[in-house]
Amino acid sequence: MKIFQNKTELSSYLDALKKMGLSIGLVPTMGALHQGHLTLVNEALEKNDKVVVSVFVNPTQFDNKEDLKKYPRTLEADVTLLKTVSKDSIVVYAPTVGDVYGDDVASQSFSFEGLEHEMEGAFRQGHFDGVGTIVKRLLENVKPDHAYFGEKDFQQLQIVKKLVALQNMPVEIVGCKIHRAKDGLAMSSRNARLTPEHRKAATFIYKILKTAKKKFGTKSAKNITEWVQEQFQLHPLLELEYFIIADTETLKPLKRKSTHKTYRAFIAVYAGDIRLIDNIAFN
Ligand code: PAF
């Protein structure tokens, strides 16, 4: 499996493939790969001749220095896992911070028509400027035909779609369904850092989302939100940061239901010092 650390070498390798008429898929990741990532990689392999998996813990999207420091870095294990999927059709781009940012490790400032101010944007200062900066650079360096993002970070997916629309980037952004463990917990690289007790407790998050969805037919958003808040107040191990039912397109909190719109519930929860997010489509 080819592993590139340098964007110039990656570009010249990919340019040769493109000249041969081959299609390129990109799966951007921060490493610590799990089955959820492999779902994206497999989807990319179905539609593209070559798939670039980028592995880069992007410093500019972390609002919490400790979280950045503790973020797992497991390149060797990531490559081993990717090899179980395909040795020939996948290449890894694992750049250094310098290769991506040069001497200036800073985000560009973006406007995503308000999407960036909701939920994760409100709770994680500068997060989406960091995501926008790295995704734009990865798309520029790889120039893929398709790029794959998981719906677990649904707000990020909507923002990336907005980014390529606003910047007229010639790439199709493909959203992939959330991959869940058997007990319902959404797959995340952060799950590996949960204590056994918190890992068990974290299954509560998806249970609550499913019950909230059932209630959506008959109850108001306010009523459901209050019910969710109560459930977490009673929980000894989990702390709710937010639960928001929002319009799927604008990501603005739902005030009055409209039959023409679709809604999703979004949640962020602390299990000890690990922050977990999840979401579910309501209609
Ligand atoms: O979802 C992620 O892992 C990251 O936000 C991404 C898209 C790889 C950008 O660093």
Side-chain angles (χ1 to χ4, degrees):
M1 179 176 286
K2 284 196 184 304
I3 303 173
F4 295 91
Q5 282 193 307
N6 177 296
K7 60 179 175 234
T8 317
E9 283 167 21
L10 174 72
S11 293
S12 56
Y13 171 77
L14 293 176
D15 283 349
L17 298 184
K18 285 173 199 162
K19 274 195 192 119
M20 288 158 61
L22 299 188
S23 56
I24 310 289
L26 170 66
V27 180
T29 82
M30 296 206 299
L33 302 183
H34 50 66
Q35 282 305 319
H37 293 113
L38 295 192
T39 311
L40 304 190
V41 173
N42 278 316
E43 215 166 313
L45 283 167
E46 274 174 29
K47 225 177 164 181
N48 303 275
D49 299 307
K50 208 50 120 186
V51 171
V52 179
V53 178
S54 64
V55 176
F56 180 63
V57 182
N58 173 37
T60 63
Q61 72 188 74
F62 285 80
D63 60 333
N64 177 331
K65 281 207 177 90
E66 210 42 36
D67 195 22
L68 171 62
K69 217 162 84 187
K70 285 194 184 147
Y71 203 88
R73 287 154 173 93
T74 57
L75 185 59
E76 219 174 292
D78 294 342
V79 170
T80 307
L81 191 62
L82 289 172
K83 280 183 186 160
T84 65
V85 180
S86 166
K87 285 197 180 98
D88 305 325
S89 305
I90 299 174
V91 299
V92 172
Y93 174 44
T96 58
V97 173
D99 189 57
V100 175
Y101 287 101
D103 293 336
D104 189 18
V105 188
S107 305
Q108 187 180 334
S109 179
F110 290 95
S111 163
F112 298 115
E113 296 180 349
L115 294 176
E116 72 278 22
H117 301 311
E118 308 298 332
M119 301 178 292
E120 292 301 283
F123 284 90
R124 300 178 69 188
Q125 218 46 51
H127 174 65
F128 287 121
D129 279 341
V131 170
T133 304
I134 184 63
V135 171
K136 185 167 171 251
R137 287 186 192 194
L138 289 171
L139 292 174
E140 284 164 354
N141 294 349
V142 176
K143 296 190 181 60
D145 300 283
H146 309 97
Y148 296 79
F149 293 82
E151 285 188 349
K152 187 179 84 67
D153 297 289
F154 192 85
Q155 186 175 11
Q156 168 174 279
L157 169 64
Q158 297 298 63
I159 280 180
V160 170
K161 284 184 180 166
K162 188 65 77 186
L163 170 80
V164 305
L166 292 174
Q167 309 260 339
N168 279 319
M169 299 184 102
V171 55
E172 186 190 330
I173 302 301
V174 184
C176 304
K177 296 258 164 300
I178 299 177
H179 194 85
R180 297 185 181 280
K182 277 209 181 80
D183 60 12
L185 181 65
M187 292 273 187
S188 161
S189 305
R190 290 194 164 86
N191 295 352
R193 285 168 53 205
L194 293 166
T195 63
E197 210 185 13
H198 281 130
R199 170 65 188 81
K200 211 164 149 199
T203 58
F204 188 70
I205 299 168
Y206 187 49
K207 285 193 191 121
I208 288 287
L209 286 181
K210 282 193 297 187
T211 311
K213 178 176 177 152
K214 276 196 196 125
K215 289 177 181 283
F216 191 65
T218 53
K219 307 269 188 224
S220 70
K222 183 167 178 283
N223 190 291
I224 298 169
T225 306
E226 283 167 4
W227 176 80
V228 171
Q229 286 165 346
E230 265 166 41
Q231 301 312 301
F232 278 93
Q233 268 154 21
L234 296 171
H235 200 289
L237 290 173
L238 302 176
E239 200 189 313
L240 180 68
E241 186 172 63
Y242 65 75
F243 171 85
I244 292 170
I245 303 170
D247 180 313
T248 307
E249 291 307 313
T250 63
L251 301 180
K252 293 243 178 292
L254 163 61
K255 296 239 167 67
R256 200 173 306 140
K257 279 184 212 173
S258 153
T259 45
H260 314 296
K261 293 190 166 176
T262 59
Y263 301 100
R264 252 180 136 92
F266 297 85
I267 194 165
V269 171
Y270 276 95
D273 58 356
I274 310 298
R275 187 172 182 277
L276 301 170
I277 61 169
D278 200 349
N279 67 84
I280 192 168
F282 267 4
N283 60 341

